[in-house]
Amino acid sequence: MERELIVTGVGGQGIQLLAKTLALAATREGRYAMLAADYGGEMRGGPSKAGVVVGDAPLHALPILPSAWSAIFAHHRFTEGVQDRLRPGGIVVANTPLVDPDGFRADLRVFAVDAMAAAKSAEAPQASGFVLLGAFNALTTMVEPASLVAAMEELLPPYRRQHAPANARALEAGAATVRAGVA
């Protein structure tokens, strides 16, 4: 089985790192994964999108996705056309209040997560992207939560390693929003 994810937001929200974390966690669990990154040249505020495909066998879908099973919407900017690419019944994690969860098609399963509030409560205010990834993973069980933490720790450059404990708390905070029925 293959599962596709589109992640969209703005530069500075951790879009690329959360997509890489999911792909690496899946491969470390012995699954197949492909990743495509699409972002502007700006450090912050520009468009940032990623496509991730995870499967149990060699993959058929390319990570440049004309259709997808799921999406994470971290910001309302630069989302044009993404909703149209989601298949009926698709899973959407919407970062409120930046994304209006009522603005999606009725045939999608939309989960609203206030990632900024959850990140702040986890004392990880810069890790809202990991909150969204934690919520997504709790909903989909794509990988084991410990695999996400290990992949995140592996991907952090040396000058950001001090953020690993906060990022791990953010992943758990995101999962907790879904388990608590907040999403």
Side-chain angles (χ1 to χ4, degrees), residues 89-176:
I91 295 172
V92 171
V93 174
N95 181 21
T96 60
L98 296 176
V99 177
D100 180 5
D102 296 326
F104 291 93
R105 298 187 331 246
D107 66 343
L108 298 172
R109 296 182 294 163
V110 179
F111 300 88
V113 174
D114 187 339
M116 291 297 293
K120 286 179 185 174
S121 71
E123 297 180 8
Q126 295 180 326
S128 62
F130 282 120
V131 169
L132 296 169
L133 179 58
F136 174 80
N137 194 59
L139 290 165
T140 64
T141 61
M142 292 273 281
V143 296
E144 292 294 323
S147 296
L148 285 179
V149 172
M152 172 271 298
E153 290 172 342
E154 185 176 337
L155 288 168
L156 285 177
Y159 62 90
R160 299 226 188 238
R161 294 252 162 83
Q162 74 274 18
H163 298 298
N167 292 344
R169 289 191 307 271
L171 286 164
E172 174 53 35

Side-chain angles (χ1 to χ4, degrees), residues 45-65:
S48 186
K49 293 181 183 175
V52 181
V53 180
V54 175
D56 296 325
L59 301 173
H60 297 284
L62 294 173
I64 301 166
L65 302 169

